[in-house]
Amino acid sequence: MKQPKGESSAPKDRVSGDQSKVSKKALKLQRLKELLASKQAQKLHAEPRANDKANKVTVRSAGQPKQLTAMQKEMQKKLSGARFRWINEAMYTETGAHTYAMVQADPEIFAEYHRGFAEQARRWPENPIDAIIAQLRERSRVVVADLGCGEARLAAELGTQHAVHSFDLVAHNEHVTACNIANVPLDAGSVDVAVFCLALMGTDFMQFIREANRILRVGGELKIAEVVSRVADVDAFVGALEEQGFRLDRRRASKMFIMLDLTKISKHPAKLRAVPGLLKPCIYKRR
């Protein structure tokens, strides 16, 4: 039988041979990759380390975490501190809505902030949340809104005594509802006590105050704890709170913190009068 024009009689054997070469080359390449991966894994799991005292080489067993040197630990600490300062500054110099969107996109930002915050709080001679918890322990059952609650200590320690609603940018645990605290999912007039413990962060913090007014019943209490250095003019700050329908009942201050107890006497006005400079951002200095 004649072969059609334009078709070679040789390709079958040649193609078969070429395919065989290609498959062998691919197999060798695959084996090489597997060998390299195996060697890399062995290197990671059994990296030799010099023993300074005995001048011997010790091998770390598989699965054992690599120990950081003192210098590496110090560098890691500095990097974490720098990251915390950046997040902290962003939270104080942006609106609540912007910060909420930022941490919802990357919840680890919020977790990292609170790790840094906890490290700072360990150095304080006092923590204002302890004073608020002590006050509420002496009360009969009330409905509490913990606005900007962080780890929700009020709910954790007083949840069996009071009805505590906890709100923050991210649900850190089962007690917390994630939201922008300028707009919390509670009915108007449904709360007896609203708490801001070091939580008036953001350039629009007066919107948080107005939201507290909305959810509080008339006669309900507003408790604020802030860093003393943030309040440039206490009387001006209190005046701005009173414009939003509150009456100051008690003011006390320590070396680090100022605490205000107020009562809701009326609804907040329809419009918010802008008063710049009421609270300074709390910016941690590099140490």
Side-chain angles (χ1 to χ4, degrees):
M1 184 176 178
K2 286 186 177 181
Q3 188 165 334
K5 287 183 179 181
E7 188 173 320
S8 171
S9 60
K12 266 193 179 179
D13 293 337
R14 192 179 304 141
V15 168
S16 176
D18 289 345
Q19 286 177 339
S20 176
K21 287 179 182 177
V22 170
S23 61
K24 284 181 180 179
K25 186 180 287 186
L27 184 60
K28 285 182 179 179
L29 183 61
Q30 180 62 29
R31 285 178 178 170
L32 179 61
K33 286 181 179 178
E34 289 174 357
L35 179 63
L36 288 172
S38 175
K39 285 183 178 291
Q40 183 65 17
Q42 289 175 8
K43 185 179 179 181
L44 288 172
H45 288 292
E47 184 180 338
R49 295 181 301 173
N51 187 317
D52 293 335
K53 289 185 179 179
N55 198 26
K56 294 179 181 178
V57 173
T58 58
V59 178
R60 184 162 41 91
S61 61
Q64 183 179 344
K66 184 178 179 181
Q67 298 296 315
L68 296 177
T69 66
M71 183 180 291
Q72 287 173 325
K73 287 178 181 177
E74 184 62 25
M75 286 299 295
Q76 188 179 63
K77 187 177 180 181
K78 286 183 178 180
L79 287 171
S80 296
R83 176 80 169 163
F84 165 71
R85 287 191 297 274
W86 175 82
I87 298 169
N88 179 77
E89 184 170 342
M91 287 183 168
Y92 275 102
T93 56
E94 298 286 354
T95 65
H98 180 278
T99 304
Y100 178 62
M102 178 178 72
V103 300
Q104 285 299 306
D106 184 2
E108 179 57 25
I109 289 176
F110 189 76
E112 195 167 351
Y113 168 79
H114 273 281
R115 286 194 293 271
F117 178 83
E119 180 64 28
Q120 295 290 330
R122 277 193 285 270
R123 303 172 188 169
W124 298 344
E126 59 179 326
N127 191 329
I129 194 65
D130 294 325
I132 294 171
I133 289 171
Q135 291 171 10
L136 291 174
R137 281 197 197 281
E138 299 175 0
R139 301 281 299 274
S140 55
R141 187 173 179 82
V142 290
V143 178
V144 180
D146 188 3
L147 303 161
C149 63
E151 297 178 352
R153 276 191 59 199
L154 287 183
E157 298 193 29
L158 301 172
T160 58
Q161 180 181 351
H162 302 297
V164 182
H165 302 282
S166 306
F167 304 99
D168 214 322
L169 297 167
V170 169
H172 185 82
N173 55 44
E174 70 277 8
H175 299 298
V176 186
T177 298
C179 67
N180 176 2
I181 57 173
N183 182 24
V184 300
L186 290 177
D187 292 336
S190 62
V191 171
D192 299 306
V193 181
V195 175
F196 290 104
C197 186
L198 309 178
L200 294 177
M201 306 170 75
T203 56
D204 59 343
F205 66 86
M206 286 303 293
Q207 295 294 344
F208 308 160
I209 298 295
R210 287 166 71 83
E211 181 68 347
N213 180 286
R214 182 188 72 82
I215 64 176
L216 278 168
R217 60 175 176 80
V218 174
E221 301 169 36
L222 175 62
K223 293 182 178 295
I224 296 175
E226 265 305 336
V227 179
V228 167
S229 59
R230 290 197 68 201
V231 189
D233 186 334
V234 177
D235 291 334
F237 181 48
V238 170
L241 297 174
E242 290 177 336
E243 282 187 16
Q244 299 307 312
F246 294 100
R247 179 192 71 229
L248 178 66
D249 295 325
R250 188 183 179 195
R251 178 172 83 186
R252 57 203 183 282
S254 65
K255 184 178 179 181
M256 284 192 68
F257 304 107
I258 183 169
M259 300 188 71
L260 305 174
D261 292 335
L262 304 102
T263 298
K264 175 181 173 177
I265 57 175
S266 66
K267 290 183 179 180
H268 63 67
K271 291 185 178 180
L272 173 62
R273 183 174 70 91
V275 184
L278 286 175
L279 290 180
K280 301 174 185 178
C282 185
I283 307 299
Y284 289 95
K285 294 179 181 179
R286 183 176 178 178
R287 294 180 182 275

